[in-house]
Amino acid sequence: MTPVLTDEVVAKARAGDPSALTALYEALAPGVLAYLRNRGSRDAEGLTQEVFLQLLPRLHRITGGASGVRALVFTIAHSRLIDEFRRRSRSTEVPYESDLDGRQHHSAEREVMEQWGPSGIGTLLARLGDDQRMVILLRVLGDLSLDETARVVGKSVGAVKQLQRRGLLALREHAEGSGEPG
Amino acid sequence: MNDDTTNHDRTPAAIEDMLADLELTGAEAEGLRALLGDVAGLASEVPEPSQNVRALLGGAVPLRSRRRLAAVAAVAGALALGGVSAAAAANRLPSHVQEVVADATGGVVPHPVKPTDPPNDAPGRDQPDQPDRPTNAPDDAPGQIQKSTKPDPSDPGPARPADPGSHGRAHNEANDRGAEQFEDDDDDEDGPGRRANDKSD
């Protein structure tokens, strides 16, 4: 089970305590990895390492205890993901013609289906709108409040609340359609 | 991991907030709570930290600081090496240090280094004792013009182009200056270029 990050761990980590730094990594890295993976990053593990390379050197300057660190680490992760999406969009300027491509490559949805099965939680999340999925993942995996989530994604609290509500209802609907509880 | 600093009983508080916002009750709330529990369960894999992250987790000097230290050390080393090299080139080092530098240089330089000529006014410069004076001596030095530019009449000299106005001649004009002087020794007012034009006409 993933440990919860506490203010005490953050205080010790800020002081450079190696065991607290390790605890901080073990508490946050799984959520960051899962967020990046389920948002569609093609190199979620590498991006996770970049997030911590950016976070750890500035740890001593972070205020707000555990929630402050959680908000910052997911802000960094979100930004790096946007960077990756932009890089990808720049590199696909040549129009793709599937008839000319002899390679076999699974779609992202099919890969998720193969990993989770038709009723797995990854598949259900993949069926949500991108913004709805983003909000639900940040709230659950990052354990962020509405305010913190709104700051991370650069939207108003009201907009985030609406995305969350629609996302949860859609999630329940997809689960009912696939036989999942909910 | 140290259990007194962490709490392993993890249920994100955000899940209850989200359910409260939806105002669901009973079985509906339980079903959605289970789904969101599955979402939280996605964060079960601790990724292997990379070497750089591991160094930061171990309380080592942050990567950026280490790079800065390495850069400062490299600059200081380069400056020190440059200073020693300059002092050695000027022969200002103590003799034993000079020998060490010479030995080191001898091992590095792939070909023997010829000593450079001292300046003309350097002490000990004695022209009569140096019949093979290098060509970089000033032209107005005593005996310099005749020795370097006027060939021996018995020596045919370098091959010259058959056409006096040819391209090769123009390019080699400076080199042929001595030969021109030999041919038109009494024409002092015309420069080499002018003489070349006259000949081609």
Side-chain angles (χ1 to χ4, degrees):
Chain A
M1 193 111 183
T2 306
V4 169
L5 189 66
T6 63
D7 289 346
E8 188 186 359
V9 173
V10 171
K12 287 183 178 178
R14 288 181 61 185
D17 180 355
S19 68
L21 283 165
T22 304
L24 181 140
Y25 179 81
E26 290 181 354
L28 294 175
V32 172
L33 177 64
Y35 173 71
L36 295 170
R37 203 174 260 167
N38 286 277
R39 287 293 315 283
S41 170
R42 288 182 182 167
D43 183 21
E45 295 203 3
L47 224 52
T48 302
Q49 300 307 307
E50 288 183 26
V51 168
F52 280 89
L53 280 176
Q54 207 171 335
L55 171 79
L56 293 171
R58 62 169 77 167
L59 198 59
H60 64 282
R61 285 184 285 163
I62 298 172
T63 58
S67 66
V69 173
R70 269 199 308 269
L72 179 63
V73 80
F74 279 92
T75 301
I76 296 171
H78 183 73
S79 301
R80 303 307 295 234
L81 187 67
I82 299 295
D83 290 344
E84 185 193 315
F85 288 161
R86 284 181 182 152
R87 276 199 304 272
R88 246 194 270 170
S89 67
R90 278 199 298 269
S91 65
T92 53
E93 289 172 357
V94 178
Y96 176 74
E97 295 183 36
S98 59
D99 292 344
L100 302 177
D101 190 354
R103 298 170 297 176
Q104 294 291 318
H105 188 73
H106 298 318
S107 67
E109 187 175 358
R110 184 171 166 186
E111 286 178 2
V112 170
M113 293 261 293
E114 285 178 355
Q115 184 181 357
W116 298 101
S119 62
I121 189 64
T123 305
L124 297 178
L125 285 169
R127 290 177 181 165
L128 300 181
D130 194 49
D131 283 354
Q132 295 171 356
R133 185 167 66 248
M134 171 181 70
V135 167
I136 289 176
L137 287 172
L138 283 173
R139 291 222 62 194
V140 177
L141 296 174
D143 203 9
L144 303 182
S145 68
L146 275 175
D147 283 351
E148 289 166 341
T149 305
R151 277 199 295 272
V152 169
V153 301
K155 294 180 184 291
S156 69
V157 174
V160 168
K161 203 168 181 176
Q162 274 298 97
L163 286 168
Q164 174 188 295
R165 181 179 181 83
R166 289 178 190 157
L168 287 175
L169 293 175
L171 191 64
R172 191 181 62 165
E173 192 177 317
H174 292 315
E176 285 172 350
S178 66
E180 278 281 300
Chain B
M1 180 119 63
N2 201 351
D3 276 350
D4 62 354
T5 58
T6 55
N7 174 12
H8 288 254
D9 185 16
R10 184 179 201 274
T11 303
I15 289 181
E16 294 306 319
D17 287 346
M18 294 164 81
L19 292 173
D21 284 342
L22 273 182
E23 298 174 352
L24 293 176
T25 55
E28 285 183 326
E30 283 305 311
L32 203 48
R33 185 179 285 111
L35 278 176
L36 293 178
D38 287 347
V39 175
L42 292 172
S44 57
E45 179 189 345
V46 181
E48 185 71 20
S50 67
Q51 213 165 11
N52 290 335
V53 171
R54 205 188 302 269
L56 292 174
L57 293 176
V61 181
L63 193 64
R64 193 185 300 172
S65 300
R66 277 192 296 166
R67 283 182 183 156
R68 191 177 298 150
L69 283 176
V72 169
V75 170
L79 288 175
L81 192 60
V84 170
S85 302
N91 207 6
R92 280 196 230 112
L93 292 174
S95 59
H96 61 283
V97 180
Q98 195 79 32
E99 286 173 12
V100 170
V101 173
D103 289 344
T105 308
V108 172
V109 178
H111 54 80
V113 178
K114 294 178 182 175
T116 56
D117 288 333
N120 287 337
D121 58 352
R125 177 84 179 181
D126 190 5
Q127 291 179 8
D129 291 341
Q130 298 181 11
D132 296 330
R133 190 175 177 195
T135 55
N136 59 353
D139 288 342
D140 57 352
Q144 182 62 25
I145 292 175
Q146 287 186 352
K147 190 167 183 69
S148 63
T149 61
K150 200 148 190 172
D152 187 354
S154 62
D155 184 2
R160 295 178 62 185
D163 179 9
S166 71
H167 208 61
R169 171 145 187 187
H171 276 286
N172 291 322
E173 199 173 270
N175 292 338
D176 293 342
R177 183 179 174 190
E180 295 275 351
Q181 284 182 345
F182 177 70
E183 290 172 7
D184 301 330
D185 207 16
D186 53 349
D187 190 4
D188 290 332
E189 290 180 4
D190 291 340
R194 173 60 186 267
R195 283 195 300 273
N197 290 335
D198 290 343
K199 283 166 107 45
S200 64
D201 292 336

